[in-house]
């Protein structure tokens, strides 16, 4: 296997040093850009396998770098945000980042995320960015077909009104990933979302009532406290 190349876009010297050292040791080739403009130049030049992109950068922000790269490529991108800057990660995912990680982080965690993205990319060369929903999804015994507006659980159709359907579609399209509340609200309701912050939770509750074996102990759509919701990867035993 060839050595994967990481484009590390980071302006702080201490992070650059530690990451370069750590990633080299883990078998990655590291190319460093310390501002957004250089990142875009190096991206075209070195064609990295994966990009670790700090959000706060001089000259061109990480968001704009991400947006620009997404116009030309589906290369995996991990956005690096300041601790608990929830809004940053929402914007990051919106502009096409595949994953996000918050500072401070451990090198081990960065390496695990990089490897996971590279594996996913290797399995799915031509695929769209992961937050773009595909039309037909099967996760465990739950299946969704958006052409037919049909959801089945163990082959039995369940009736989901439009917003519930769209929410489930978004969650199933991002199995295993935490989707922040703001992102779900923005995608499903956009500017139509009216004041009451409980609307999202009410819809989640209704979906759970239809697809969870025990809606009082959700194991498919789980709540990530203070952040949002995640559709769990099905355990192998849940598959028929
Ligand atoms: Ca920075």
């Amino acid at each position: 296997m060839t050595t994967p190349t990481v484009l590390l876009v980071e302006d702080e010297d201490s992070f650059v040093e530690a990451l370069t050292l750590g990633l080299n040791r883990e078998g990655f080739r590291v190319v460093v850009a310390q501002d957004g403009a250089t990142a875009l130049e190096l991206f075209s030049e070195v064609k990295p396998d994966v990009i670790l992109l700090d959000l706060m950068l001089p000259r061109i922000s990480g968001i704009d770098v991400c947006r620009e790269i997404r116009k030309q490529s589906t290369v995996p991108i991990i956005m690096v945000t300041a601790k608990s800057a929830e809004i940053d990660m929402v914007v990051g995912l919106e502009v096409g980042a595949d994953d996000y990680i918050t500072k401070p982080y451990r090198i081990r965690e960065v390496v695990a995320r990089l490897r996971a993205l590279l594996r996913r990319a290797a399995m799915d060369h031509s695929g769209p960015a992961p937050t773009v929903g595909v039309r037909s999804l099967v996760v465990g015994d739950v299946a969704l077909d958006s052409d037919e507006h049909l959801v089945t659980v163990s082959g039995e159709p369940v009736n989901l009104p439009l917003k519930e359907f769209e929410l489930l579609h978004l969650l199933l399209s991002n199995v295993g990933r935490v989707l922040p509340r703001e992102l779900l609200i923005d995608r499903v309701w956009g500017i139509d979302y009216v004041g009451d912050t409980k609307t999202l939770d009410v819809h989640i509750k209704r979906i759970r009532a239809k697809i969870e074996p025990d809606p009082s102990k959700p194991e498919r759509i789980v709540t990530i406290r203070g952040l949002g919701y995640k559709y769990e990867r099905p355990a192998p035993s849940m598959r028929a």
Side-chain angles (χ1 to χ4, degrees):
M1 202 187 142
T2 53
T3 308
T5 300
V6 183
L7 176 58
L8 170 61
V9 188
E10 172 61 71
D11 57 314
E12 285 164 70
D13 292 334
S14 57
F15 279 99
V16 169
E17 274 171 39
L19 276 169
T20 304
L21 210 72
L23 293 176
N24 280 335
R25 200 159 42 207
E26 294 289 334
F28 292 91
R29 174 177 167 239
V30 180
V31 176
V32 178
Q34 293 202 274
D35 65 70
T38 310
L40 290 173
E41 283 166 29
L42 284 178
F43 170 72
S44 313
E45 216 172 286
V46 303
K47 309 241 182 307
D49 298 294
V50 62
I51 300 176
L52 195 59
L53 177 61
D54 187 33
L55 189 86
M56 299 294 287
L57 291 170
R59 296 170 73 189
I60 303 176
S61 80
I63 293 291
D64 288 332
V65 171
C66 186
R67 203 176 270 140
E68 202 49 51
I69 288 173
R70 272 291 168 266
K71 286 182 192 162
Q72 356 172 354
S73 165
T74 58
V75 64
I77 299 176
I78 300 181
M79 191 76 87
V80 180
T81 69
K83 190 169 185 288
S84 75
E86 204 175 310
I87 187 69
D88 292 347
M89 82 182 63
V90 173
V91 175
L93 293 174
E94 281 291 333
V95 296
D98 298 279
D99 201 355
Y100 54 83
I101 194 164
T102 53
K103 285 179 178 175
Y105 47 69
R106 294 185 185 163
I107 300 273
R108 209 166 25 166
E109 192 188 351
V110 175
V111 168
R113 302 285 189 95
L114 288 172
R115 292 217 168 107
L117 275 185
L118 286 169
R119 267 199 305 274
R120 207 192 295 167
M123 283 188 296
D124 187 19
H125 273 300
S126 58
T131 47
V132 177
V134 293
R135 309 199 68 80
S136 174
L137 292 154
V138 179
V139 177
D141 55 4
V142 174
L144 178 148
D145 186 313
S146 62
D147 286 332
E148 295 189 51
H149 189 89
L150 181 69
V151 174
T152 59
V153 179
S154 304
E156 293 294 316
V158 291
N159 183 25
L160 294 183
L162 184 63
K163 295 299 182 198
E164 291 172 33
F165 186 89
E166 288 178 357
L167 257 183
L168 183 61
H169 190 196
L170 201 51
L171 287 160
L172 287 173
S173 305
N174 291 279
V175 166
R177 174 194 277 181
V178 180
L179 296 181
R181 298 177 58 86
E182 287 80 357
L183 179 106
L184 291 167
I185 290 168
D186 187 61
R187 286 288 180 86
V188 175
W189 285 274
I191 55 168
D192 296 334
Y193 194 83
V194 279
D196 189 353
T197 53
K198 288 287 166 218
T199 304
L200 172 63
D201 309 279
V202 169
H203 279 75
I204 292 284
K205 197 173 170 188
R206 288 191 201 134
I207 300 171
R208 280 174 172 157
K210 294 167 188 176
I211 69 160
E212 293 280 355
D214 178 358
S216 69
K217 295 192 190 71
E219 54 191 38
R220 292 176 177 173
I221 302 176
V222 296
T223 304
I224 309 299
R225 203 163 292 281
L227 196 52
Y229 293 99
K230 176 172 81 166
Y231 200 102
E232 288 283 11
R233 282 179 203 290
S237 60
M238 281 170 67
R239 297 203 185 102

